[in-house]
Amino acid sequence: MVASTKTDPNLNTVEILHEGPEEYNNIWQKVRSIWSYVYDNYYEDFDYFHIGGDDLYLLVENLRLYLESDEIQAAQNGGLGLGLRSQTPLFLGRRFAEQGNMERIFNSGGSGY
C-alpha cells in the first residue's frame, strides 16, 4: 500500500486525508493519518508494519531475519519474556531528544519506523 494524495489502483496508491497543508513541514500529520489508516484497515491481517519514504532502500531479507531473531521474538509480546514488569508496545526504530531535551522525545523517520 502506498499512501498518496490520490487513489490509483494501477499504482496501488490510496488517498489518505490529513490535517493541515500538503507540505513537508506537516509530515507528522501525514504520518499520523497513515498509521490510523493502517490500523483501521490492516491491523488484524499482519504482525508488523513498516513505513518509509520515497528515498528509502530496504533489504527485506535482512528485516525478515531481524524480526525472526530471538530478541525480537521475545519482545514482540509486549516485553513478556524479557523480564519487564509491564507490557509495552514494541517499537523498532530510533528515538531522539529534540536538541538534547529528554522531555521532547520523537521517533525519527529517515530509515523508516
Side-chain angles (χ1 to χ4, degrees), residues 15-65:
E15 178 185 21
I16 299 179
L17 302 175
H18 57 81
E19 293 181 23
E22 179 60 37
E23 62 183 36
Y24 180 79
N25 289 333
N26 194 35
I27 193 74
W28 161 242
Q29 293 297 338
K30 293 179 185 184
V31 170
R32 187 176 68 89
S33 295
I34 292 168
W35 282 127
S36 179
Y37 179 87
V38 167
Y39 181 84
D40 291 344
N41 293 278
Y42 299 107
Y43 178 75
E44 297 293 331
D45 299 328
F46 299 96
D47 294 327
Y48 297 98
F49 299 95
H50 184 275
I51 188 171
D54 61 355
D55 59 349
L56 173 72
Y57 183 80
L58 177 67
L59 296 173
V60 177
E61 180 66 8
N62 288 356
L63 179 60
R64 183 186 66 78
L65 291 171

Side-chain angles (χ1 to χ4, degrees), residues 98-109:
E98 182 182 353
Q99 297 182 359
N101 182 350
M102 297 306 289
E103 299 295 317
R104 297 187 52 97
I105 302 294
F106 66 96
N107 298 330
S108 173

